[in-house]
Amino acid sequence: MGRQRVAQLEYSEFQSAMLDEAKRRRKAAKIIAVLEHFHGPLGGKTVGDVGCSAGFIADELAGAGAARTLGIDIDVPGLRKAADRFGERVAFVCGDGTALPFPDGSIDVLVFNHIYEHVVDPDAVVAEMHRVLSEDGVLYLGLGNRLGIMEPHYKLPFLSYLTPVLADRYVRAFGRADHYYERFRTRGGLRRMTRAFEVWDYTLPVLATPARFAGGELFPGALGRIAQSVLARTPRAVLKLVLPLVPTYLWVATKRPRRPAGPSLPQPPERV
């Protein structure tokens, strides 16, 4: 039996990537571009970043025009740093994702970016986000895939494929950690987790047209431009064959059926 999972109360203290400001702001630009393509501008909206940690993405959401921006986390050290820097335009809340301290239907846009694998009960967090999201609201989901070959946190191949006991031994053998805490799901498992929502997949649109989604760093140099061109022209049926192994999915979810509002793309978003 693997050890019991507990909440990671000071995640930013032991995951330095959470404090890489330039990288977090690049991620925020991509998130905002996807949201604006699907939903339109954030101006006048109440926006929440669930799992905000040090607050860089929440700060960018506020800068994109949100009328009210909320950063929610249980990471107290991260929240303190965030409030010190960005508290004038972002309201930071220490709150458990399984019991969000907001009324039903009170938030227009939610961001849940690469968080689900860290929480004890991601299904409960997703259910809470469904509760607090407005009927016309939009949820951005950045979701790691269990079948992605290179595990993103510890940079060890096939780590997420293993049972908890074997994964613990693997990270210890390479001196990366004492335990492997994260729990990823496959594409099918992620769709079951979000079954209460209508979901659109922006993974291939972002890969095929990275500049459109503020993701130019995905394909640097001449080889990158060639890769981007190939992706933009490859038939969708072929690309869908590799989707089960893509390391990260970028999804947009709504409570009732909607369609993307933005212009057409070489590889358009599709329903999941």
Side-chain angles (χ1 to χ4, degrees):
M1 293 289 291
R3 66 189 180 93
Q4 184 177 1
R5 298 179 77 210
V6 296
Q8 294 177 295
L9 298 176
E10 299 183 352
Y11 183 71
S12 63
E13 297 293 285
F14 57 87
Q15 265 292 347
S16 59
M18 297 301 294
L19 301 178
D20 184 336
E21 180 166 352
K23 183 176 181 180
R24 301 297 290 174
R25 291 191 184 277
R26 288 196 299 271
K27 285 182 180 292
K30 180 170 62 180
I31 291 168
I32 292 166
V34 170
L35 285 170
E36 289 183 340
H37 184 272
F38 184 88
H39 178 68
L42 300 183
K45 305 299 182 183
T46 296
V47 179
D49 181 13
V50 179
C52 66
S53 193
F56 301 124
I57 290 176
D59 182 57
E60 290 290 330
L61 292 167
R68 184 185 184 206
T69 306
L70 305 163
I72 307 102
D73 212 309
I74 56 172
D75 177 0
V76 172
L79 287 172
R80 286 176 180 150
K81 293 183 178 75
D84 286 345
R85 286 195 62 184
F86 312 122
E88 290 187 2
R89 62 177 181 174
V90 178
F92 292 99
V93 178
C94 185
D96 187 337
T98 63
L100 293 169
F102 310 115
D104 295 0
S106 59
I107 300 181
D108 302 306
V109 178
L110 284 169
V111 171
F112 193 55
N113 185 53
H114 292 286
I115 302 297
Y116 89 90
E117 70 269 22
H118 303 291
V119 302
V120 177
D121 190 350
D123 296 288
V125 177
V126 171
E128 269 294 273
M129 292 192 295
H130 188 277
R131 179 185 67 79
V132 303
L133 194 68
S134 67
E135 287 303 309
D136 291 323
V138 175
L139 167 63
Y140 174 95
L141 296 159
L143 303 167
N145 176 16
R146 183 180 181 184
L147 299 183
I149 292 172
M150 185 62 70
E151 202 282 340
H153 305 289
Y154 301 97
K155 309 302 182 186
L156 294 171
F158 302 108
L159 173 59
S160 57
Y161 285 53
L162 302 178
T163 65
V165 171
L166 290 176
D168 284 350
R169 293 176 181 174
Y170 192 11
V171 294
R172 284 198 294 269
F174 283 85
R176 304 294 171 85
D178 292 330
H179 299 281
Y180 181 58
Y181 183 91
E182 287 70 20
R183 297 289 182 270
F184 287 97
R185 300 186 184 191
T186 63
R187 184 177 176 87
L190 294 169
R191 187 62 190 100
R192 288 189 291 275
M193 184 177 76
T194 58
R195 60 188 175 275
F197 289 93
E198 299 284 331
V199 178
W200 287 82
D201 192 342
Y202 271 78
T203 307
L204 294 177
V206 171
L207 289 173
T209 50
R212 172 65 181 77
F213 293 101
E217 80 281 356
L218 292 172
F219 294 101
L223 288 177
R225 289 191 292 274
I226 293 171
Q228 177 185 339
S229 178
V230 170
L231 279 169
R233 291 172 171 78
T234 301
R236 177 58 68 98
V238 175
L239 292 176
K240 288 174 76 169
L241 294 176
V242 302
L243 269 179
L245 298 178
V246 169
T248 296
Y249 299 120
L250 307 179
W251 290 357
V252 172
T254 60
K255 292 175 73 169
R256 61 186 187 182
R258 290 180 58 180
R259 298 188 64 83
S264 61
L265 300 165
Q267 295 289 352
E270 283 190 350
R271 286 278 306 278
V272 179

